Every structure is written in structure tokens, then in C-alpha cells.
Amino acid sequence: MIQFVIPAVIVALGGGITAFLAFLRAKRYVLLSGNKDSGKSSLLKVLIGEKVVDGEGDDSVKAVKPALNIKINKMNYLFYDTSGGGDANKEKEKVKDDFEHKKYKDKVADFYLFDASKYDERERKAIVAFKKARKFQMAVIGTHKDKITTERKEVIEREVSEEIKLTCKIFDFTQSPKAELEKFICEVS
């Protein structure tokens, strides 16, 4: 029982009664990880049907933190943007740690987002570290597909999938790929 209460209380404290009710209704929990400006807020904007404009801030989505309930294929998904610093980072790490409990393990997916136009050895190492740090179903989402060639996209996806052994797909969020993104999330989680 305590394993259920801890994440529920954290959600309630961070987002009020609405967030608490969303937590209770959720059938799947999705953690969004990645560096600043990797596309976490843009992913949420695509899923709620908002337009993503390259270079434009995502303040409208940041207001719904720490969690956002989104229905995909008649199933409630509760999305957590797990990035941040300072006290916010400590709270989010606590949520991730609480979800590692056996009761939730099969209901949680952790997605690492990265800007594919900046993919290099440092980002590759960050993805490897991400894989080692969690015990959930994991996948990698690249953003800014419009800023790389098709060949480069295929090389990155293949490297992450075959060498790091994590499912990877690169998207262009400015094209509002909601259906494609929902399909990917459902397949992984």
C-alpha cells in the first residue's frame, strides 16, 4: 500500500487534486527524460494537439507539470517531464525511484529525448547512461528530424537500436506527427 501512496502523494502535492485523480485513472505512466531543449515539452504539445513552432518556447505545456494525463487509444497515460534542476529535480528523482517498485514496473515506460541534429559521442554516452540508470521499458525519441538528412536519421536510429539496444525513432514535431507518435508510444509502453 505504501508503494502506491508515495507517488500519489507526490503527484497530489505537485499538481493538486486534478493531478491526483489523473494518477489514479492512469493505466500507463510515461517518464520523459533528456537534456534541456531536447523536445520533452514539444512532445506533449504534439500529443495534446498544439502546434509546435521551431524556436518557440513551450511555456504553455510547462504550466501543467508535474504530470499530464493524455488518452491514447482509449487508455489513460500519465506523462511526467522528469527533467529539471535543484529541488524540482529531487522531487522528480523521487517519483522515478518510487515507480521502480515492482507494483508499477510493468506500467511505466521511460523515454529519453534528444535533439538528433546535435547527436554526437557525448549524446550517445548519455543514452547509454540512461539505459543503465532505469529498470523500466525504455525507448529513445530523437527530435529535429527536419534538420538532418534521411541517411543521418537512419544511421542514428540504427546505432541506438542495434548497438545500444534501445528502440529509437526520430520525429519532426513541427509536422505534428500525433498519430505516428501515439503509435510509437503504444508499441513501446
Side-chain angles (χ1 to χ4, degrees):
M1 179 65 174
I2 192 78
Q3 294 81 14
F4 170 76
V5 173
I6 292 171
V9 168
I10 290 170
V11 169
L13 291 174
I17 194 69
T18 303
F20 178 70
L21 293 174
F23 177 85
L24 294 176
R25 283 193 310 267
K27 299 295 181 201
R28 294 277 186 259
Y29 305 94
V30 178
L31 307 178
L32 301 177
S33 303
N35 294 321
K36 183 180 180 328
D37 296 328
S38 61
K40 297 175 298 296
S41 293
S42 294
L43 177 143
L44 295 173
K45 284 180 84 168
V46 168
L47 291 175
I48 62 175
E50 289 186 16
K51 180 86 174 134
V52 173
V53 178
D54 195 24
E56 186 176 277
D58 290 324
D59 293 335
S60 62
V61 177
K62 289 183 186 345
V64 300
K65 288 180 182 178
L68 181 63
N69 187 43
I70 300 174
K71 190 170 272 200
I72 301 174
N73 294 337
K74 300 179 185 175
M75 185 178 294
N76 288 322
Y77 286 77
L78 194 58
F79 287 81
Y80 291 87
D81 178 346
T82 62
S83 67
D87 291 337
N89 199 38
K90 290 177 188 171
E91 284 295 315
K92 292 171 184 178
E93 283 301 317
K94 177 74 173 130
V95 168
K96 286 193 256 183
D97 291 342
D98 290 338
F99 274 128
E100 285 186 353
H101 185 271
K102 187 173 148 184
K103 180 176 182 177
Y104 295 104
K105 218 171 171 180
D106 296 336
K107 295 181 178 186
V108 179
D110 201 347
F111 289 85
Y112 181 87
L113 279 79
F114 72 99
D115 181 342
S117 70
K118 299 176 182 174
Y119 183 80
D120 58 11
E121 186 59 28
R122 185 182 54 90
E123 191 69 64
R124 185 184 189 288
K125 288 178 180 177
I127 294 170
V128 170
F130 162 76
K131 181 180 177 183
K132 290 179 181 177
R134 292 283 159 233
K135 300 173 181 137
F136 309 125
Q137 179 65 36
M138 295 178 275
V140 178
I141 295 176
T143 62
H144 297 98
K145 178 174 120 179
D146 58 316
K147 295 180 180 177
I148 59 174
T149 65
T150 301
E151 181 180 289
R152 178 74 176 139
K153 172 194 169 292
E154 292 169 358
V155 166
I156 294 169
E157 287 177 340
R158 188 172 40 252
E159 180 177 307
V160 174
S161 296
E162 294 175 6
E163 294 178 24
I164 303 174
K165 306 288 188 222
L166 287 175
T167 303
C168 177
K169 188 158 180 85
I170 299 174
F171 295 90
D172 175 4
F173 290 160
T174 63
Q175 297 300 310
S176 301
K178 183 177 180 180
E180 186 181 6
L181 191 53
E182 288 177 337
K183 181 180 177 191
F184 183 71
I185 290 167
C186 290
E187 288 172 357
V188 172
S189 61

